[in-house]
């Protein structure tokens, strides 16, 4: 286990570094210059050169990269080129929106997908088995922002029971208002995420239901419930956990997309704004934090999978 | 069946959990609305798509900082009103020397900054120098290059000497915020003399202003303003529909207007902006270096039809660069008006009877792609082929504005009084008519506003006749507000939005 952990950690760090390099290079390949976003129409070439000097975008790429990487190691994500404020502070200020949104949507998606997926598998022979399957298939194809717009139209504009968007200016000071603001975004992300999860749960359950060991357990006198509890669930959980880790990462990215539909001050809207202004430190900071989160969740998912299924651990150790 | 029993049990547990979760989530859905009475205690909720980049208008704060803070938190020596007139504000009176080179301003007495410090002439001097400083990113910097020196003989007097006469000087001063000279950190804090002091700024979400009790002038008619920022126009409109905001400072999407114009709870105000949509030719590059070709293209495009297809009943056509809120406006829509037959004759006279082909650099955001497609089909009628080249705002700035590497382009020009750019042969569109340059120079040296107006009208007429650019239309400025609101500005000249007169009933 220790060797596996060490190797897996090394891969995690390597991936992070590779992601940082790719991120940095790709951003620099984009046409345009942040100095443009900062200067008024009518700026002289001298003003533009001065702004570039001030922003540090005239330095050689390698030195820009090393400076940035060095700062990242000391947890300093730099200052926004446009607002001159620290990027790290702004990310921290926005996490109280994005993290609850992601986690709540993820939990809700699991709560929907596990029973519905299991039902679709167990009742594959009834009419609603294929129907659930078909609806899930459809759900995968639907973009999150569209679901969001539909929910807003119904629950905010027509029924008027929930806000159409926005987040309380004082944040979580009034938890009820904050939760109210997050209900529709959470449901939006959860609906979209659960669609793909349902199909995973369904196929994992189908595999288990038809497995020999379940029949053997029954033959040895276990009730279906006992057999499912002792052998089935654990076996179905292994592929589902792998998918869950991936889905948690996807949920996070889904939340980022949905934020702009609901005008939520989270990481997503910060990223959109950063991109439109060529604000390199902002884009890099948000992307780096997102990438790190996704990689970390994958890492933890792998570990969890090995704890659930000791066979994988032995395979890894051998 | 036993298996079914197990599934049922799992289902029951899960549904109980989801229900509990849903209940917890709905716990806070009590409406926070209600409470009426004193309208001066009301907080006005404003919706906008222009969040400030930072709070300093000399450090690239952008359009949003003008909208939120200009006139509300910061004041100038003069104010540009919503109708386009220049009025004294912190300057109580002014004297101009006979040679027109020295302006002496006396400051309003008893003016205090929000920090409590009294306003002195030293603050005025420091504020102007902030704008003209080396590292200033103010759009107004070049206008103030005419200043030679600033003297402060006493605390209440500022004397500014110019290098040459500048009739626009007082107007330009209306853009200069008077800031406490000892204030620091102006990108995140503020210290002005306006009717509101800065409250909280939650990046990505809201910026609040609260009424300043020590204000020297007429106090604000409401207790405060909260600007809510949106990146998505639909989200902004939804906020208005659900009463999360009371007013939207500038509706950007004409498609959204129907839901408000047909609803008695809202008022759609058709104000006049200063934003012109231009088909800008590269006047130095063939074939647009020929006046007849520019005239032909202008006459071949039905501007009114384009405007209607983009904005419906809103907006106005203009025949030149000057919007109706500028003092030297006159209706020139009949110059180079829509006339396809004449356009063909003009092309023939320019030696291009069979038309020609050119590339139109088109910024990728609305309404440019729509306008480009429209222009392409209009010009096809006279044998001109248009290749639409879609570029980002950033590429436009680099390729068109800086490198002048273009034949024709679409762009919106937002400022008032910007006809003067046609007097600068080095501007990106390369229009060079010495007579116009001379008229615009002379206008700036004029002794009276009337003289200035006459000269600029002459210049404007020439550029219209020579079709220096094709001015497609003037954007509407559409402020949509709850009918509970009165006293808000509707023209929003140069993105300013004075909130102090707004009353909510």
């Amino acid at each position: 286990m220790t060797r596996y952990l060490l190797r897996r950690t090394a891969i995690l760090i390597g991936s992070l570094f590779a992601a940082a390099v790719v991120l940095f290079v790709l951003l620099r390949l984009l046409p345009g210059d942040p100095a443009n976003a900062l200067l008024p129409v009518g700026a002289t070439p001298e003003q533009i050169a001065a702004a570039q000097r001030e922003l540090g975008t005239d330095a050689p790429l390698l030195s820009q990269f090393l400076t940035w990487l060095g700062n990242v190691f000391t947890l300093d994500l730099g200052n926004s080129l446009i607002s001159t404020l620290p990027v790290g502070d702004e990310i921290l200020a926005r996490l109280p929106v994005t993290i609850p949104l992601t986690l709540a949507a993820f939990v809700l998606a699991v709560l929907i997908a596990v029973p519905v997926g299991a039902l679709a598998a167990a009742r594959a022979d009834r009419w609603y088995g294929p129907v659930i399957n078909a609806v899930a298939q459809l759900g995968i194809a639907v973009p999150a922002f569209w679901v969001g717009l539909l929910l807003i139209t119904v629950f905010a504009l027509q029924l008027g029971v929930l806000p159409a968007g926005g987040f309380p200016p004082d944040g979580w000071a009034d938890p009820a208002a904050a939760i109210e603001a997050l209900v529709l975004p959470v449901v939006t992300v959860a609906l979209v995420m659960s669609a793909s999860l349902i199909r995973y749960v369904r196929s994992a359950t189908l595999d288990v239901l038809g497995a020999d060991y379940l029949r053997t357990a029954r033959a040895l006198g276990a009730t279906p419930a006992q057999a499912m509890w002792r052998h089935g669930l654990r076996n179905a959980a292994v592929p589902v956990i792998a998918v869950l880790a991936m889905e948690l990462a996807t949920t996070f990215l889904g939340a980022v997309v949905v934020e702009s539909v609901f005008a939520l001050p989270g990481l997503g809207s910060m990223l959109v704004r950063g991109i439109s202004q060529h604000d390199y430190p902002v884009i890099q900071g948000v992307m780096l934090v997102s990438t790190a989160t996704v990689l970390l969740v994958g890492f933890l998912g792998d570990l969890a999978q090995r704890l659930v299924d000791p066979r994988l651990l032995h395979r890894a150790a051998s | 069946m036993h298996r079914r029993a197990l599934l049922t049990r799992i289902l029951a547990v899960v549904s109980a959990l989801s229900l509990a979760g849903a209940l917890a989530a709905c716990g806070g859905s009590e409406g926070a609305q209600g409470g009426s009475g004193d309208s001066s205690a009301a907080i006005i909720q404003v919706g906008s798509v222009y969040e400030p980049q930072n709070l300093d208008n000399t450090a690239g704060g952008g359009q949003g900082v003008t909208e939120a803070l200009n006139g509300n938190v910061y004041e100038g020596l003069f104010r540009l009103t919503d109708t386009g007139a220049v009025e004294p504000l912190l300057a109580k009176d002014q004297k101009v020397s006979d040679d027109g080179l020295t302006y002496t301003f006396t400051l309003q007495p008893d003016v205090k900054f929000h920090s409590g410090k009294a306003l002195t002439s030293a603050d005025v001097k420091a504020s102007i120098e902030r704008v003209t400083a080396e590292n200033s990113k103010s759009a107004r910097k070049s206008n103030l290059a005419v200043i030679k020196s600033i003297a402060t003989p006493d605390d209440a007097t500022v004397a500014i000497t110019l290098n040459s006469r500048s009739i626009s000087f007082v107007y330009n001063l209306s853009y200069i915020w008077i800031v406490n000279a000892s204030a620091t950190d102006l990108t995140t804090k503020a210290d002005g003399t306006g009717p509101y002091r800065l409250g909280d700024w939650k990046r990505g979400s809201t910026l609040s202003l609260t009424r300043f009790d020590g204000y020297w002038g007429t106090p604000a008619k409401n207790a405060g303003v909260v600007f809510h920022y949106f990146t998505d126009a639909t989200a902004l409109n939804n906020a208005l529909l659900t009463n999360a905001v009371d007013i939207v400072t500038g509706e950007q999407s004409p498609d959204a207007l129907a839901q408000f114009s047909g609803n008695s709870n809202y008022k759609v105000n058709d104000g006049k902006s200063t934003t012109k949509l231009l088909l800008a030719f590269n006047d130095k590059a063939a074939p647009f270096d020929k006046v007849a070709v520019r005239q032909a293209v202008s006459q071949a495009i039905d501007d009114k039809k384009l405007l209607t297809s983009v904005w419906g009943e809103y907006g106005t056509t203009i025949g030149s660069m000057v919007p109706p809120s500028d003092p030297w406006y006159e209706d020139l829509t009949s110059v180079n008006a829509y006339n396809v037959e004449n356009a063909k004759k003009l092309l023939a006279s320019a030696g291009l009877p069979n038309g020609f082909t050119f590339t139109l650099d088109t910024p990728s955001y609305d309404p440019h792609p729509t306008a480009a497609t429209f222009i392409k089909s209009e010009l096809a009628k006279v044998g001109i082929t248009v290749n639409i080249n879609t570029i980002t705002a950033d590429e436009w700035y680099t390729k068109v504005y800086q490198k002048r590497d273009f034949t024709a382009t679409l762009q919106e020009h937002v400022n008032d009084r910007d006809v003067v750019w046609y007097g600068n042969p080095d501007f990106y569109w390369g229009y060079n008519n010495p007579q116009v340059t001379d008229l615009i120079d002379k206008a700036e040296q004029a002794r009276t506003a009337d003289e200035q107006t006459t000269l600029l009208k002459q210049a404007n007429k020439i550029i219209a006749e020579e079709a220096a650019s094709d001015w497609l239309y003037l954007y509407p400025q559409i402020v949509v507000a709850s009918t509970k609101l009165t006293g808000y500005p509707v023209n929003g000249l140069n993105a300013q939005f004075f909130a102090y007169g707004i009353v909510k009933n």
Side-chain angles (χ1 to χ4, degrees):
Chain A
M1 184 75 185
T2 321
R3 242 180 78 195
Y4 171 75
L5 254 182
L6 281 177
R7 207 184 58 189
R8 198 61 186 73
T9 312
I11 294 176
L12 178 70
I13 292 170
S15 319
L16 261 177
F17 181 78
V21 173
V22 170
L23 192 59
F24 187 88
V25 172
L26 278 184
L27 271 183
R28 269 31 181 217
L29 288 180
L30 288 176
D33 191 308
N36 294 351
L38 213 51
L39 291 169
V41 166
T44 60
E46 294 79 49
Q47 271 180 298
I48 293 166
Q52 285 169 336
R53 216 167 28 247
E54 199 182 310
L55 297 174
T57 51
D58 61 338
L61 273 192
L62 187 65
S63 94
Q64 285 187 49
F65 180 66
L66 291 179
T67 311
W68 177 62
L69 204 64
N71 289 338
V72 168
F73 272 111
T74 56
L75 291 182
D76 172 9
L77 293 177
N79 289 350
S80 156
L81 300 182
I82 307 292
S83 72
T84 70
L85 307 177
V87 171
D89 289 1
E90 201 184 334
I91 289 179
L92 282 181
R94 285 163 182 260
L95 287 181
V97 175
T98 304
I99 287 182
L101 169 57
T102 306
L103 289 182
F106 178 68
V107 170
L108 185 60
V110 172
L111 289 181
I112 296 172
V114 169
V116 173
L119 188 72
R123 296 289 174 271
D125 50 346
R126 301 288 183 81
W127 64 269
Y128 47 88
V131 167
I132 292 175
N133 205 17
V135 170
Q137 185 87 47
L138 191 71
I140 294 172
V142 167
F145 70 87
W146 189 75
V147 176
L149 288 178
L150 272 189
L151 289 177
I152 290 172
T153 308
V154 175
F155 291 98
L157 298 184
Q158 291 180 357
L159 300 177
V161 289
L162 286 165
F167 200 70
D170 45 1
W172 287 88
D174 178 359
I179 288 173
E180 205 184 345
L182 286 182
V183 171
L184 286 184
V186 164
V187 172
T188 304
V189 179
L191 280 182
V192 172
M193 291 306 142
S194 62
S196 53
L197 263 182
I198 284 173
R199 291 177 46 82
Y200 286 118
V201 173
R202 176 179 169 276
S203 65
T205 315
L206 274 179
D207 285 350
V208 170
L209 284 176
D212 291 343
Y213 57 81
L214 211 65
R215 206 178 50 206
T216 310
R218 293 282 320 273
L220 290 174
T223 65
Q226 284 169 334
M228 192 71 190
W229 196 251
R230 292 196 46 173
H231 305 283
L233 278 184
R234 186 173 259 224
N235 279 293
V238 174
V240 171
I241 287 178
V243 169
L244 281 185
M246 239 158 60
E247 283 296 307
L248 180 55
T250 323
T251 313
F252 179 76
L253 300 178
V256 161
V257 171
V258 158
E259 277 169 13
S260 107
V261 175
F262 286 97
L264 291 173
L267 288 185
S269 39
M270 182 174 173
L271 182 64
V272 169
R273 202 179 148 78
I275 289 172
S276 72
Q277 296 170 340
H278 273 280
D279 199 338
Y280 297 145
V282 167
I283 308 174
Q284 278 161 194
V286 176
M287 293 292 280
L288 194 71
V289 168
S290 317
T291 315
T293 310
V294 169
L295 289 174
L296 198 66
V297 167
F299 173 71
L300 294 176
D302 274 7
L303 286 191
Q305 220 181 341
R306 267 153 187 83
L307 291 177
V308 170
D309 188 348
R311 281 174 305 175
L312 290 173
L313 201 59
H314 296 317
R315 203 182 303 156
S318 61
Chain B
M1 272 181 71
H2 293 290
R3 200 205 277 164
R4 184 186 287 173
L6 172 75
L7 269 176
T8 319
R9 208 184 305 162
I10 295 179
L11 275 180
V13 172
V14 169
S15 7
L17 280 175
S18 345
L19 191 64
L23 283 176
C26 294
S29 59
E30 291 301 312
Q33 300 288 326
S36 57
D38 187 7
S39 66
S40 72
I43 305 280
I44 311 299
Q45 313 290 333
V46 179
S48 170
V49 293
Y50 302 114
E51 184 175 8
Q53 294 171 2
N54 62 59
L55 298 183
D56 187 350
N57 72 343
T58 65
Q63 176 169 0
V65 73
T66 304
E67 179 177 273
L69 303 190
N70 195 40
N72 295 322
V73 172
Y74 289 110
E75 298 180 306
L77 290 177
F78 294 84
R79 143 169 70 200
L80 180 72
T81 68
D82 195 39
T83 52
V86 178
E87 285 178 351
L89 189 57
L90 291 176
K92 190 160 150 265
D93 60 54
Q94 60 158 323
K95 282 191 197 80
V96 187
S97 63
D98 289 341
D99 58 5
L101 292 182
T102 303
Y103 287 72
T104 307
F105 303 106
T106 311
L107 302 180
Q108 286 283 355
D110 305 322
V111 177
K112 278 192 171 55
F113 287 103
H114 301 144
S115 56
K117 201 192 106 173
L119 168 74
T120 68
S121 53
D123 297 308
V124 175
K125 180 171 194 276
S127 298
I128 296 173
E129 283 166 354
R130 271 168 50 78
V131 176
T132 55
E134 178 76 36
N135 62 350
S136 154
K137 297 180 183 72
S138 167
R140 302 288 156 185
K141 189 176 170 179
S142 56
N143 297 124
L144 297 181
V146 70
I147 295 177
K148 189 177 175 189
S149 63
I150 306 172
T152 52
D154 61 61
D155 275 357
T157 312
V158 184
I160 303 175
T161 307
L162 308 181
N163 287 316
S164 61
R165 299 180 71 98
S166 172
I167 188 89
S168 305
F169 182 59
V170 162
Y171 159 79
N172 289 332
L173 285 177
S174 72
Y175 292 102
I176 311 299
W177 290 353
I178 304 306
V179 176
N180 182 352
S182 50
T184 53
D185 239 355
L186 289 168
T187 50
T188 52
K189 292 184 209 146
D191 195 6
T193 60
Y196 300 99
R197 60 161 76 223
L198 180 70
D200 264 345
W201 181 28
K202 302 278 182 195
R203 304 250 304 140
S205 176
T206 52
L207 185 150
S208 63
L209 309 179
T210 48
R211 186 167 49 206
F212 174 47
D213 292 330
Y215 183 56
W216 62 276
T218 315
K221 291 182 178 168
N222 49 60
V225 192
V226 180
F227 286 87
H228 299 255
Y229 296 111
F230 296 81
T231 48
D232 181 271
T234 314
L236 172 60
N237 291 325
N238 288 339
L240 185 60
L241 285 171
T242 53
N243 299 319
V245 301
D246 302 314
I247 182 167
V248 169
T249 57
E251 197 55 73
Q252 301 300 310
S253 152
D255 300 334
L257 290 173
Q259 59 194 331
F260 300 111
S261 54
N263 187 328
S264 61
N265 293 325
Y266 300 97
K267 185 165 190 314
V268 177
N269 299 277
D270 189 4
K272 287 195 172 51
S273 77
T274 51
T275 305
K276 295 130 295 215
L277 181 65
L278 256 66
L279 165 57
F281 310 115
N282 187 343
D283 294 353
K284 284 197 170 117
F288 296 119
D289 51 349
K290 290 199 183 94
V291 172
V293 175
R294 301 197 300 252
Q295 288 171 332
V297 169
S298 299
Q299 294 185 17
I301 300 171
D302 187 350
D303 298 343
K304 185 74 204 168
K305 197 165 144 201
L306 172 64
L307 176 62
T308 312
S309 68
V310 176
W311 279 101
E313 63 199 282
Y314 299 97
T316 42
T317 50
I318 43 168
S320 78
M321 192 66 172
V322 179
S325 50
D326 281 359
W328 30 90
Y329 170 78
E330 61 188 319
D331 186 352
L332 297 176
T333 46
S334 56
V335 179
N336 287 316
Y338 180 56
N339 186 337
V340 178
E341 287 316 307
N342 205 42
K344 286 181 186 158
K345 279 181 210 152
L346 282 163
L347 279 179
S349 78
L352 295 163
N354 301 317
F356 58 96
T357 301
F358 74 94
T359 300
L360 180 59
D361 285 322
T362 307
S364 55
Y365 53 96
D366 283 340
H368 304 107
T370 316
T373 316
F374 180 83
I375 289 167
K376 185 185 171 96
S377 71
E378 290 284 275
L379 294 186
K381 288 188 236 162
V382 294
I384 301 175
T385 309
V386 180
N387 294 323
I388 297 173
N389 177 35
T390 307
I391 55 178
T392 63
D394 236 354
E395 280 178 88
W396 186 89
Y397 198 91
T398 313
K399 179 178 188 287
V400 178
Y401 187 75
Q402 285 178 259
K403 296 191 183 146
R404 322 273 154 94
D405 171 20
F406 75 110
T407 311
T409 186
L410 287 168
Q411 188 52 269
E412 45 200 1
H413 282 256
V414 298
N415 289 323
D416 65 337
R417 305 195 178 190
D418 57 4
V419 67
V420 293
W421 287 117
Y422 287 96
N424 178 358
D426 294 329
F427 204 58
Y428 81 91
W429 51 50
Y431 179 70
N432 188 359
N433 180 330
Q435 198 192 348
V436 171
T437 306
D438 186 48
L439 282 168
I440 287 173
D441 281 349
K442 272 196 187 130
E444 190 53 28
Q445 310 279 331
R447 282 166 196 276
T448 64
D450 285 345
E451 194 187 329
Q452 178 195 22
T453 300
T454 313
L455 290 165
L456 286 179
K457 274 185 175 169
Q458 284 173 25
N460 190 34
K461 202 155 183 178
I462 298 172
I463 63 160
E465 280 160 359
E466 291 203 324
S469 307
D470 186 18
W471 302 273
L472 297 167
Y473 60 76
L474 184 72
Y475 284 49
Q477 170 72 29
I478 300 181
V479 177
V480 183
S482 156
T483 40
K484 291 182 184 139
L485 250 51
T486 51
Y488 47 84
V490 296
N491 291 325
L493 299 184
N494 300 297
Q496 55 187 18
F497 185 82
F498 302 140
Y500 42 76
I502 303 179
V503 175
K504 184 163 153 187
N505 296 309

